[in-house]
Structures are given as structure tokens and as C-alpha cells.
Amino acid sequence: KRQAFLKVFNEVNTHMRKIFALLSPGGEAYLVLQNPDDPFAGGVDINASPEGKKVKSPRAMSGGEKSLTTLSFMFAIQQVSPAPFYLLDEIDAFLDPANVQRVAELISDLSEKWQFIVVSLRDVMIARAKTLIGVYSREGISNTIRLNLEDLVKVLTSEGVELE
Amino acid sequence: KRQAFLKVFNEVNTHMRKIFALLSPGGEAYLVLQNPDDPFAGGVDINASPEGKKVKSPRAMSGGEKSLTTLSFMFAIQQVSPAPFYLLDEIDAFLDPANVQRVAELISDLSEKWQFIVVSLRDVMIARAKTLIGVYSREGISNTIRLNLEDLVKVLTSEGVELE
Amino acid sequence: VFVEKLVLRNFKSFGPRKVTINFTKGFNAIVGPNGSGKSNVADALLFVLGNLSSKTLRAETFSGLIYDGPHGKPTSASVSLVFDNSNREMLIDADEVVIGRDVLSNGRGRYKLQGRTVTRWQIIDFLDTANIHLDGFNIVQQGLIAQLAQMDPLERRKIIERMA
Amino acid sequence: VFVEKLVLRNFKSFGPRKVTINFTKGFNAIVGPNGSGKSNVADALLFVLGNLSSKTLRAETFSGLIYDGPHGKPTSASVSLVFDNSNREMLIDADEVVIGRDVLSNGRGRYKLQGRTVTRWQIIDFLDTANIHLDGFNIVQQGLIAQLAQMDPLERRKIIERMA
Ligand SMILES: Nc1ncnc2c1ncn2[C@@H]1O[C@H](COP(=O)(O)OP(=O)(O)OP(=O)(O)O)[C@@H](O)[C@H]1O
Ligand SMILES: Nc1ncnc2c1ncn2[C@@H]1O[C@H](COP(=O)(O)OP(=O)(O)OP(=O)(O)O)[C@@H](O)[C@H]1O
Ligand SMILES: [Mg+2]
Ligand SMILES: [Mg+2]
């Protein structure tokens, strides 16, 4: 039981270290057992230092830093036993454009092996996708339409919205 | 006591109706007393129909619809007894670009009378501001710099980030 | 194996006509305005994969998943999920594997696999062999990342335990 | 009256040198990468206006608000908020009204108004006359909109009650 747990724990940790280093260059994040001698007597902490300096207290971390740390944990868990497809709904809500770009690139790489279906409101994320599915509603009725990137530009600018 | 409450309740409601109509054209949202005869025996509900059709059940509303409804309530409360300045931190996280634009225009109008300091990661919001304060950190030390819109474009594109 | 398409019939805002959403391998992005129906697509996936909590799908009861529009409410809703199984990763000798689920106004419903009515457990076991688990992290709903970010260390350990 | 500038000395990530942030009337936007210090500016405002909960300012204790860097921690932190009072909306006959607050490593601190040490209550009463209230909605922290969206009807009524 303990062996099985430690095996998975170490796998998640290995993936998390690698992924966080991609999402937060120069930084590091990893899991820590609160009770290394008896894992089940404690929980699992995350130690994160986004800029590679001293570990940041979780309370003081910014919304985006917590988001990147949490996303690294999520992707790491997925990588331990990958599913053939993933649906991620607005995981980029608290990321600045540069970080959205890093997550988009990670998803783009992973999507060579596993299918990703990503709901996003962020152009930086959307621009990285291979296939764009536009959802719209008229009088409360939803429908979809295949879009290419030129359509997207037209849709966003015709609504008088400057591109982000 | 009850008179005073109803007076404020009606004021908030008047502002909320007006503001929601701006943020969600064609839609309406307003407050409802659960117990009209004895307001203090019940709470206050929000009835919202973002597209002007039947009122939507709060549970089924989308993240962005709930956000716009909540923002209308927030702006309405502010308008009842305005403060000289407002600081709003990432209120646009769940809004699509067109809705960010509407909130940005509302803030732009209100800012003629009251000072607004808005933290945002969304270019559509930032582009509407009169003054841009750039915050950056080097080795964990934060500092600020005055930016104009051309600087912002350079900063975002030089990081290899396509404008949203 | 990957998701080839989703066929929605009277499911939430996708009614009253049938809507077919086509996906490709790789990186798909679902885009559109607030309230258009993007998260309802995620709900459709969770529904057809056997989710047992209507509240998770943002409906009071399962019958609340049936499209409710101005011209009365249909008697049933259904979702069909078509997998492209050309690589035979799924243990069925067919290029397309179809999982279906419907729900009636009385809240009851059936599951189907390749057109044959089966039990929910048969669907769950079959998906298991393709490494698709309802409580894995392969469908990340809107807002889950923010919830995960608040997770306490004991819950985090339980997530890892369950994977072991 | 409006906020003319904020002067931060060893406050959270704004250390160890003094940082002055200048604002203008109208619409100001604070921009920058995740973790750069934008929300720390909001915390500085809440701090100097008399907030009594260090956890609200994302610090374990008030001494946690003092800049903590690689070269040791200073013994105190301070924030000065300078209002442009040219229109004499504030009941002090001066073009600039300065509110200050500091905190020492032992968690104690003082408040200042126009350079004179005053009590917290004197600050709160003075701000009241300018319609600045700590529990009004004039400072909306990151994540508050999402919390407000989940608010139950009784809490919503209490918000309105407190305004009456
Ligand atoms: N049974 C139903 N019949 C008709 N419409 C429904 C039904 N259930 C939900 N809806 C509508 O679907 C809409 C929500 O859609 P959804 O949550 O998918 O939006 P979204 O595109 O994800 O938006 P956001 O970007 O704001 O998250 C709501 O307006 C809701 O009223
Ligand atoms: N006492 C302190 N000394 C040094 N750094 C601190 C201190 N308190 C907080 N910080 C740092 O400040 C940073 C958080 O800044 P802040 O929350 O303002 O970021 P932000 O710009 O709002 O980011 P986001 O866009 O992600 O919300 C964290 O990296 C945190 O470690
Ligand atoms: Mg959604
Ligand atoms: Mg912040």
C-alpha cells in the first residue's frame, strides 16, 4: 500500500518538476510529504519558488502564481496515466498573456500524443489551436461552426473589440 | 428601519437595472425581495435574463453571465453612495473580449466623476485607460514605471506574445 | 483513439434541433461569447460518460438538462459521443465507437454502446479499458483550477492515493 | 479629491528601496506579469486605510507585510497615501492630504495624518467624511467578484442593510 503510494507520488513529482520549469522558467515547484516516515499520517504540500529564489509562502503567492502551480500539478497527474483526450475549460483565466502562451505551447506539444479540447476566452491560447470550434447562441439556442483563424480575427474586430 | 432599507434597496435596484442593460444589451437584471411584506424575514434574490427572454436559473448561468450580473450589483452599490476613488483587481477574469469592452467603457464613463484604478491582464481593458502603470519585479523586488500605449504594445509583442 | 464528434439532441442550450460538433486529433479550441454554450459542451461529455450528479452539470435535476425554450420542453434529451477508433486502442473491432445516453422528463434514462442498450457499469468498465475515468483529471470544469488551488494538503494526498 | 500617489517603503515585494507610484484623475490601469506586485498595491491601500486583518492582505501576521528579501528583513514597513485635495472635498485646508501607516517587526505600528500621529479611529472617521469606507465596495480584491457571485440571498440583504 505504502509502496504503491510512493511510486505514484514520485511519478507525479517528477512530472510536476519538469512541467513547472517549462511554465515558470527559472522557477521550481515540487511535492513534499508532510510526514515522510508515514505518508498517510500527513498530507502533501507543494513547495514553489516561481523565480527560483526562496520558496514562497502559499498565502502570499499571487493569483497567477497559484494558478501556474496548480496547473503544473494537474498536468503532472494527467501524465502519470494519460487519457486519450482532455477537456480543459477556461484554465487560463488568471494568467498573464506570456503565461497563457507558455501553457498554450505545452498543450500544443502534448496534443501530438493526446487530443486536447480547450475552452478559452484568451486569444493567445486560441491562436495556438489546430482546430477552432465557434459556439454561438441565437434566442437561447446554441450552435457551432468551424472557424479558421481569419474568421476569428474578423469576428473579434467586427464586434468593435480590439484584439487583446 | 424598514423605510431606510427599502429606500436603499430601490436605489440599488434602479442603478442595477440601468447598468446591466449597458453590460448585457437586450437583457435585464433586478433585485427581488424574497419576502416583500417583511424584507428582514427573507433575503434578496437577483433575477437575470441576459438575453431578455425568460429569467435564467442562477445555477444554469454561465461563468461570464454570473460575472456580469455580479458586476452590475457591485457598480450599483457603489453608485448609491460613491467614494472618490475605486480600486478594482481583475474583475474581468471571466468575461469574453466583447464584455470586457463593455465594462471598460462603463468604467471610462464613470471615471469622469470618480477615479478608477483597475488591475487587469486583459488588453481590451488596459487599452481603454488614460494612465498606464506598469508593475514589474526583478529578483523578487517590485517597481513601477509609467507606460504609454505604444510601450505596452512593445512589451507584449517583444515577449513573443501575440496581441490578444 | 480520439473524440471524433459529439451529437447533442435537446441537451441544455443545444436544442431543439440536433447539433453535431466535429473535432480533430490534436489541439481543438472551443471559442465564443459568454453564455453561448461552451461549458454546456463539457457538461455533455460528462453526462454521456456517466456523471451521476446533475448539480455538477449545473442543473437542479437531470430533467433540467432537457432543452427548455419558448416553445415548450421536449420529452427527452440525448448525447452521443463518437470515438475515432481507427487505431483499435478501444477493445471493439470498429472504426467508430459510439457511446450514448439519454434522459427523459421523469429523470430516467438509458446508456448505449454501439447502439445496444447497456448498463452504466458496462459503460464505465469499457471506458476504463481506454483509460477514461470520470474522476481522473481528463475533464477539468470551469472553476476547478481555482478550487484545486485552495486544496488542503490532506485532500492533495487523497488524490494521489486514489491513483495508486 | 483623488489619489495622487502611494509611497511604499519595504511593503511586501516593494522593498528595500522606497517606491513611489503616481496616479492621475480618471481611469488608471495597473498592468504587469503574474507575481509582479499589482495586488500588493491593492494591499498597500487597504493597509493604509486601516485594514485589521493581515490575512486579508495575504500575510500570516502584520510583520509578514515587511519586505523579506535575500539580504535580511528590514525592521519596519510603511505606506503613505497622498490625496490631491485641490477641490477641498476633504475637510482639511491643504492641497495634499497624507495618510500614513507603518508596521514594525513586532507587529505594532502607528497611523499618521498630515505627519501627526493619530489613532486608527481618527483615520477611519476622517475618511468617513470623504465617503471612503473600508467595508464599502471601493476596493474590490482579486477573487471577490467570484465570491460575491456565490453569495446567498440573506447575505445579499445584509449588504444592503448595512448601507441603510
Ligand atoms: N436546459 C436548458 N435549456 C436552455 N438553455 C439552457 C439550459 N441549461 C442551461 N442553459 C443555458 O446555457 C447557458 C450557459 O451556457 P454555458 O455555461 O455553456 O456558457 P459558456 O459559453 O460556457 O459561457 P462562459 O464563457 O460565460 O463560461 C446559460 O445561458 C443557460 O441559461
Ligand atoms: N513580505 C514580502 N516580501 C517579499 N515579497 C513578498 C512579500 N509578500 C508578498 N511577496 C511577493 O509578492 C508577490 C505577489 O505579488 P502580487 O500578488 O501583487 O502579484 P500580482 O501582480 O497581483 O500577480 P497576479 O497577476 O498573478 O495576480 C508574490 O510573489 C509574493 O511572494
Ligand atoms: Mg463556461
Ligand atoms: Mg494579483
Side-chain angles (χ1 to χ4, degrees):
Chain A
K1 168 115 247 89
R2 183 190 134 129
Q3 295 284 53
F5 175 87
L6 287 174
K7 176 166 183 295
V8 174
F9 175 85
N10 290 325
E11 273 183 67
V12 178
N13 218 357
T14 304
H15 283 120
M16 179 158 183
R17 280 183 176 280
K18 245 200 286 128
I19 292 165
F20 189 84
L22 284 174
L23 298 185
S24 193
E28 66 163 349
Y30 51 91
L31 303 173
V32 181
L33 289 168
Q34 285 182 336
N35 193 327
D37 303 311
D38 181 8
F40 303 107
V44 169
D45 283 325
I46 294 182
N47 273 14
S49 52
E51 289 148 313
K53 284 172 279 72
K54 51 161 70 173
V55 169
K56 298 202 163 174
S57 112
R59 187 186 291 280
M61 281 176 84
S62 81
E65 289 171 329
K66 291 212 297 255
S67 205
L68 276 187
T69 305
T70 304
L71 285 172
S72 302
F73 181 60
M74 175 200 83
F75 282 119
I77 289 178
Q78 294 171 347
Q79 288 297 300
V80 165
S81 177
F85 77 93
Y86 292 98
L87 189 135
L88 310 176
D89 196 342
E90 284 191 43
I91 60 171
D92 49 20
F94 297 107
L95 302 179
D96 65 49
N99 279 328
V100 176
Q101 175 84 337
R102 291 180 188 107
V103 175
E105 281 174 15
L106 172 64
I107 291 173
S108 184
D109 288 342
L110 295 174
S111 71
E112 296 190 20
K113 286 195 183 159
W114 306 285
Q115 179 187 37
F116 276 84
I117 302 168
V118 175
V119 178
S120 176
L121 301 172
R122 312 294 296 276
D123 304 17
V124 174
M125 174 70 74
I126 294 164
R128 214 52 212 280
K130 178 167 95 194
T131 301
L132 290 181
I133 296 156
V135 184
Y136 64 93
S137 64
R138 287 278 171 337
E139 313 200 323
I141 294 173
S142 293
N143 217 327
T144 60
I145 181 172
R146 200 62 156 271
L147 290 174
N148 51 46
L149 221 52
E150 295 71 39
D151 297 328
L152 187 69
V153 171
K154 235 189 282 134
V155 163
L156 290 175
T157 50
S158 69
E159 284 196 358
V161 167
E162 282 181 44
L163 276 191
E164 190 176 325
Chain B
K1 168 117 246 86
R2 182 191 137 130
Q3 295 283 53
F5 175 86
L6 287 175
K7 177 167 183 294
V8 174
F9 175 85
N10 289 324
E11 272 183 68
V12 178
N13 217 357
T14 304
H15 284 118
M16 181 160 180
R17 280 183 176 278
K18 244 198 287 129
I19 293 163
F20 190 83
L22 283 173
L23 298 185
S24 193
E28 67 165 348
Y30 51 91
L31 303 173
V32 181
L33 289 168
Q34 287 182 336
N35 191 327
D37 304 309
D38 181 6
F40 303 107
V44 170
D45 284 325
I46 295 181
N47 272 15
S49 52
E51 288 147 314
K53 286 173 280 66
K54 53 161 70 172
V55 168
K56 300 202 160 171
S57 111
R59 187 188 291 280
M61 282 177 84
S62 81
E65 288 172 328
K66 290 212 294 253
S67 205
L68 275 187
T69 305
T70 305
L71 285 171
S72 302
F73 181 61
M74 176 201 82
F75 282 120
I77 289 178
Q78 293 170 349
Q79 288 297 300
V80 165
S81 178
F85 77 93
Y86 292 98
L87 188 135
L88 311 176
D89 196 343
E90 285 191 42
I91 60 170
D92 48 21
F94 298 108
L95 302 180
D96 66 49
N99 280 328
V100 176
Q101 174 84 337
R102 291 181 187 107
V103 175
E105 280 175 15
L106 172 64
I107 291 173
S108 183
D109 287 343
L110 294 174
S111 70
E112 296 190 19
K113 286 194 181 161
W114 305 285
Q115 179 188 36
F116 275 85
I117 302 166
V118 175
V119 178
S120 176
L121 300 171
R122 311 294 297 276
D123 303 14
V124 174
M125 174 69 74
I126 294 163
R128 214 55 211 279
K130 178 166 93 194
T131 301
L132 290 181
I133 295 155
V135 184
Y136 63 94
S137 63
R138 287 277 171 334
E139 315 198 322
I141 294 172
S142 292
N143 215 327
T144 60
I145 182 174
R146 200 61 156 272
L147 290 174
N148 52 47
L149 221 53
E150 295 71 39
D151 296 328
L152 187 69
V153 171
K154 234 188 284 135
V155 162
L156 290 174
T157 49
S158 68
E159 286 196 358
V161 168
E162 282 181 45
L163 274 193
E164 192 178 321
Chain C
V1 65
F2 61 93
V3 173
E4 182 185 314
K5 60 185 172 187
L6 257 182
V7 185
L8 312 173
R9 230 178 274 260
N10 296 324
F11 186 83
K12 301 191 79 185
S13 58
F14 288 89
R17 299 226 188 89
K18 169 174 93 169
V19 174
T20 300
I21 307 176
N22 294 294
F23 301 91
T24 67
K25 285 180 119 175
F27 190 169
N28 297 254
I30 296 182
V31 309
N34 293 133
S36 57
K38 305 181 295 295
S39 298
N40 288 344
V41 175
D43 293 339
L45 265 173
L46 286 164
F47 171 77
V48 76
L49 296 177
N51 190 287
L52 288 176
S53 158
S54 71
K55 294 189 168 52
T56 298
L57 311 182
R58 294 173 298 143
E60 280 301 324
T61 64
F62 272 95
S63 77
L65 294 172
I66 302 173
Y67 168 72
D68 195 2
H71 308 297
K73 187 169 147 176
T75 51
S76 71
S78 74
V79 176
S80 295
L81 171 54
V82 183
F83 288 99
D84 178 312
N85 188 36
S86 318
N87 67 4
R88 295 299 188 274
E89 254 175 45
M90 285 185 156
L91 312 178
I92 283 182
D93 187 16
D95 282 344
E96 285 190 343
V97 173
V98 187
I99 295 187
R101 180 180 179 187
D102 59 25
V103 64
L104 314 172
S105 334
N106 60 12
R108 314 190 69 176
R110 297 157 304 168
Y111 290 85
K112 290 188 168 165
L113 177 56
Q114 299 301 64
R116 264 185 55 238
T117 298
V118 295
T119 66
R120 176 176 177 270
W121 276 117
Q122 285 174 307
I123 295 284
I124 299 285
D125 288 344
F126 174 72
L127 290 169
D128 233 54
T129 65
N131 228 8
I132 297 165
H133 314 285
L134 256 186
D135 57 355
F137 277 81
N138 82 307
I139 298 181
V140 177
Q141 288 187 285
Q142 191 168 353
L144 180 64
I145 293 299
Q147 273 182 44
L148 259 185
Q150 316 279 51
M151 178 171 286
D152 72 56
L154 293 170
E155 289 181 80
R156 201 173 288 127
R157 191 203 77 221
K158 296 213 181 88
I159 287 181
I160 298 177
E161 262 183 87
R162 268 177 264 151
M163 296 164 64
Chain D
V1 64
F2 62 93
V3 172
E4 183 184 313
K5 61 186 170 188
L6 257 182
V7 185
L8 312 172
R9 231 177 276 260
N10 296 324
F11 186 83
K12 300 192 80 184
S13 57
F14 287 90
R17 300 223 190 90
K18 169 175 93 166
V19 174
T20 300
I21 308 176
N22 293 295
F23 301 92
T24 66
K25 284 181 121 173
F27 190 170
N28 298 254
I30 295 181
V31 309
N34 293 132
S36 57
K38 307 181 295 295
S39 299
N40 288 345
V41 174
D43 293 338
L45 264 174
L46 286 164
F47 171 76
V48 77
L49 296 176
N51 191 288
L52 288 176
S53 158
S54 70
K55 295 188 167 55
T56 298
L57 310 182
R58 296 173 297 144
E60 280 301 325
T61 63
F62 272 94
S63 74
L65 294 172
I66 302 172
Y67 169 72
D68 195 3
H71 307 296
K73 188 168 147 176
T75 50
S76 72
S78 74
V79 175
S80 295
L81 170 54
V82 182
F83 288 99
D84 179 312
N85 187 37
S86 318
N87 67 4
R88 293 303 188 273
E89 253 175 47
M90 284 183 159
L91 312 177
I92 283 181
D93 188 14
D95 282 344
E96 286 191 342
V97 173
V98 187
I99 294 186
R101 179 182 180 186
D102 59 25
V103 63
L104 315 171
S105 334
N106 62 12
R108 315 190 68 174
R110 297 158 303 166
Y111 290 85
K112 290 191 171 162
L113 176 57
Q114 299 299 64
R116 262 185 56 242
T117 298
V118 294
T119 67
R120 177 178 177 269
W121 275 117
Q122 286 174 305
I123 294 284
I124 298 285
D125 287 344
F126 174 72
L127 290 170
D128 231 56
T129 65
N131 228 9
I132 298 164
H133 314 286
L134 256 187
D135 58 354
F137 277 81
N138 82 306
I139 298 181
V140 178
Q141 289 185 289
Q142 191 167 353
L144 180 63
I145 292 299
Q147 273 182 44
L148 258 187
Q150 316 279 50
M151 177 172 286
D152 73 56
L154 292 170
E155 289 180 81
R156 201 173 288 129
R157 191 203 76 220
K158 294 214 182 88
I159 286 180
I160 298 178
E161 262 184 85
R162 267 175 268 154
M163 296 163 66

